Amino acid sequence: MTFGFEHPWALLLLLVLPAWAWLNRHRGEAALVFSRAALLGRYAPRGGALLARVPGWLRATAVAAAIIAVASPRTGAAVVDIDAEGIAIMLVVDVSSSMLAEDFTPDNRLAVARNTVIDFVRAREYDRIGVVAFGGEALTLVPLTIDYPVIYQAVEQLRPAGTPGWLEDGTAIGTALATAANRLRRAPGESKVIVLLTDGENNRGEIDPRTAAQAAAAFDIRVHTIGVGSDGVAPIPIRSAGGRITYASLPVSIDEPLLREVAGMTGGEYFRATDEEALESIYQRINELEQSTVQVRRYVDYTPRYLPFVLLAVLALAGEWTIRASRWGRVP
């Protein structure tokens, strides 16, 4: 909060008051006529002299208050006006059963992906973000929105494909890309991005990933692809018919040439994450690559404060005239 004057030059008029007081310091006071000696004695010498000065003080107060009011005192508060053009981002997450591989110690790939995606969303401010989950088929969990808590809730509830009542198992990369691109093609704004995370090869769906990438490029949608999984083999839990869980070491088979090609066709980048730290750094890198356009304007919003000084001037003048018109004074 700041305080100032719209017309500070008007305050120079206050110098008139001490000059006026100095010029009139030896001027004699007019005699007061009393009809009763007892009344004169009641106020003389100290009370009468003091009361005689009150009208002058009130007039000086009224003039000073009027000058301050003319100077237009005001208080101001800084206001920030943010004009942001956010990016439209679809986060596409592979939830196939292989995402349960526990090579991202101490969690499996899907758990690490959930946490990393949530951190990615928290780092954004002005963007519309949606979420697509895919296994053997693709499902839009959250359409483009700025309601980030809804996104957090949807991502936290991601579960592996093949779970009853959920997506079929498999890896339909082309279908997932086409689903996300369809959500983005009519999105407002110039920047549209898909971030696709997968740990496998395209083995389901009727849409070829390259065809989906061509469609995305036609709509000026940039696709960043992320391949997750350690090199070599990874331990994957397998539940038997009796409910017992055993682990099988299965080879990691990521179609990196395909993911590189899809990213390159759309102007995006391909990343490989072999552990949790690498995946976190990749999403941070994408955050740096995809920055929103933000214009910040700062100005001061002023509120006028001259009214109290106007009221003070009026009250002071009224007080002066009341005293001068009373039996203790005279009308000038």
Side-chain angles (χ1 to χ4, degrees):
M1 183 70 70
T2 60
F3 179 83
F5 296 90
E6 184 177 359
H7 308 297
W9 52 265
L11 297 176
L12 294 174
L13 297 174
L14 291 173
L15 298 176
V16 174
L17 294 177
W20 177 82
W22 184 81
L23 292 174
N24 292 275
R25 68 189 187 281
H26 298 307
R27 178 176 294 181
E29 296 291 336
L32 298 177
V33 179
F34 290 89
S35 60
R36 297 175 59 186
L39 185 62
L40 180 62
R42 184 182 303 172
Y43 292 102
R46 185 173 57 188
L50 181 62
L51 190 61
R53 295 191 181 96
V54 170
W57 293 341
L58 289 174
R59 177 169 293 185
T61 300
V63 173
I67 292 173
I68 294 174
V70 170
S72 296
R74 59 186 182 179
T75 56
V79 176
V80 177
D81 184 14
I82 298 178
D83 182 13
E85 181 183 343
I87 299 172
I89 304 174
M90 291 299 298
L91 301 174
V92 183
V93 182
D94 186 348
V95 295
S96 59
S97 58
S98 60
M99 288 290 289
L100 293 177
E102 297 181 0
D103 52 350
F104 281 23
T105 306
D107 294 316
N108 58 49
R109 299 171 184 172
L110 183 57
V112 172
R114 279 197 297 257
N115 296 333
T116 308
V117 167
I118 288 175
D119 290 341
F120 175 85
V121 176
R122 283 178 177 152
R124 316 300 297 188
E125 283 189 272
Y126 310 106
D127 304 315
R128 296 177 302 280
I129 300 176
V131 180
V132 170
F134 75 98
E137 53 191 336
L139 176 65
T140 301
L141 297 181
V142 182
L144 289 171
T145 181
I146 57 173
D147 190 352
Y148 292 174
V150 172
I151 298 174
Y152 302 149
Q153 183 177 6
V155 174
E156 288 172 354
Q157 294 177 353
L158 285 175
R159 55 192 188 277
T163 303
W166 184 226
L167 298 172
E168 296 181 1
D169 201 5
T171 308
I173 296 176
T175 302
L177 276 176
T179 301
N182 186 54
R183 290 287 179 176
L184 285 172
R185 63 192 181 96
R186 290 193 178 95
E190 296 182 359
S191 297
K192 304 172 187 179
V193 177
I194 293 174
V195 181
L196 182 141
L197 178 147
T198 183
D199 70 340
E201 302 172 328
N202 186 70
N203 55 25
R204 293 290 300 273
E206 298 179 356
I207 302 176
D208 182 78
R210 295 173 182 84
T211 302
Q214 289 174 352
F219 291 116
D220 294 324
I221 299 172
R222 189 164 46 254
V223 179
H224 298 298
T225 55
I226 304 173
V228 294
S230 58
D231 295 320
V233 296
I236 298 178
I238 300 176
R239 186 182 297 273
S240 64
R244 183 180 177 183
I245 296 177
T246 59
Y247 286 87
S249 295
L250 300 178
V252 177
S253 55
I254 301 174
D255 193 346
E256 291 190 278
L258 172 65
L259 297 179
R260 283 196 182 93
E261 186 176 355
V262 166
M265 291 171 62
T266 62
E269 294 189 23
Y270 167 70
F271 303 91
R272 177 68 190 276
T274 57
D275 54 39
E276 181 176 358
E277 292 183 359
L279 186 58
E280 291 175 351
S281 65
I282 287 169
Y283 274 100
Q284 290 175 3
R285 172 60 178 160
I286 295 174
N287 259 325
E288 295 172 358
L289 288 174
E290 305 297 343
Q291 291 293 325
S292 301
T293 301
V294 180
Q295 294 181 348
V296 179
R297 296 187 296 272
R298 291 180 173 85
Y299 60 94
V300 178
D301 186 19
Y302 289 106
T303 301
R305 303 294 182 185
Y306 61 85
L307 185 58
F309 295 96
V310 173
L311 294 177
L312 177 60
V314 171
L315 291 175
L317 283 175
E320 178 198 357
W321 281 79
T322 299
I323 293 176
R324 291 190 185 278
S326 69
R327 62 178 180 174
W328 295 289
R330 63 182 178 83
V331 179

